[in-house]
Amino acid sequence: MSIPQRKKLILPLSEERRRHQRVSVNLLGRYMLADRREYPCQVSNMSPGGMALIAPVAGNVGDRVIAYVDHVGRLEGVIARHFQNGFAMTIAATPRKRDKLAAQLTWLANRHILNLPEDRRHGRIAPRNPSARLILPNGVNLACRVIDISQSGCAIATKERPEIGMIVTIGKTTGRVVRHIEDGFAIEFIRVQHSDFLEENVTGG
């Protein structure tokens, strides 16, 4: 009985593809599987009816999953299929919620938030105290130097080279590695930081 049930759960995704055009995105988030384990993720494309997640762990096809996506919020659905480095999920939502999600996707595209290596709308500064602590995905805590900083990201000097797309924490601020530079790498913050608390949250200074 379980196999026919899973096939039925996959059908809405194909129907959703006909109804909604998917948009290529680059949004960070986290997701919780049916066993309540939680992991970071990156949404690579999305429509009001489904989305694809680059994720470290994929549950079973047909399993319920809850995702919290930056700029979008909480989304719930089921795993529709697996692909290399992630999975696709349907989005269970009322017509009103789907309309709201469509509007959010349009807003994101119009605001040029999507597909940018870093949000250049915020000017960079050199921090007063460049010393900071970096926490890597494996939990290793290292000292590093902040080269420059803005409300949306920073560049740090370190010998470490986490893979692009990895989630790291600099000070008290979480972000994603967006590119490597000569002396280290650049981070795009998951959330734009308030200018009054920027250095406090990143370098503690």
Side-chain angles (χ1 to χ4, degrees), residues 168-205:
V168 298
T169 301
I170 179 76
K172 296 183 287 186
T173 306
T174 302
R176 178 175 59 90
V177 178
V178 291
R179 66 181 178 276
H180 294 151
I181 58 177
E182 183 178 357
D183 298 326
F185 58 92
I187 299 170
E188 180 184 15
F189 300 144
I190 288 181
R191 292 177 178 82
V192 174
Q193 301 296 301
H194 193 289
S195 58
D196 291 348
F197 306 103
L198 180 58
E199 291 194 45
E200 176 183 344
N201 288 340
V202 175
T203 65

Side-chain angles (χ1 to χ4, degrees), residues 10-23 45-52 80-83 87-91 98:
I10 296 175
L11 287 176
L13 183 64
S14 60
E15 293 171 4
E16 171 267 320
R17 281 175 172 165
R18 289 194 293 269
R19 291 197 307 267
H20 304 291
Q21 181 179 357
R22 291 203 168 199
V23 178
N45 67 66
M46 178 185 290
S47 82
M51 60 183 177
R81 69 182 188 281
H82 298 147
F83 57 82
F87 61 90
M89 64 175 281
T90 62
I91 296 175
R98 289 183 192 276

Side-chain angles (χ1 to χ4, degrees), residues 44-101:
S44 59
N45 67 66
M46 178 185 290
S47 82
M51 60 183 177
L53 283 67
I54 299 171
V57 177
N60 299 316
V61 171
D63 281 356
R64 180 170 172 263
V65 58
I66 298 173
Y68 299 86
V69 182
D70 245 22
H71 303 294
V72 177
R74 183 183 185 276
L75 299 170
E76 183 177 338
V78 297
I79 297 174
R81 69 182 188 281
H82 298 147
F83 57 82
Q84 187 176 6
N85 299 325
F87 61 90
M89 64 175 281
T90 62
I91 296 175
T94 62
R96 182 177 178 182
K97 172 70 174 178
R98 289 183 192 276
D99 289 343
K100 180 181 178 182
L101 184 53

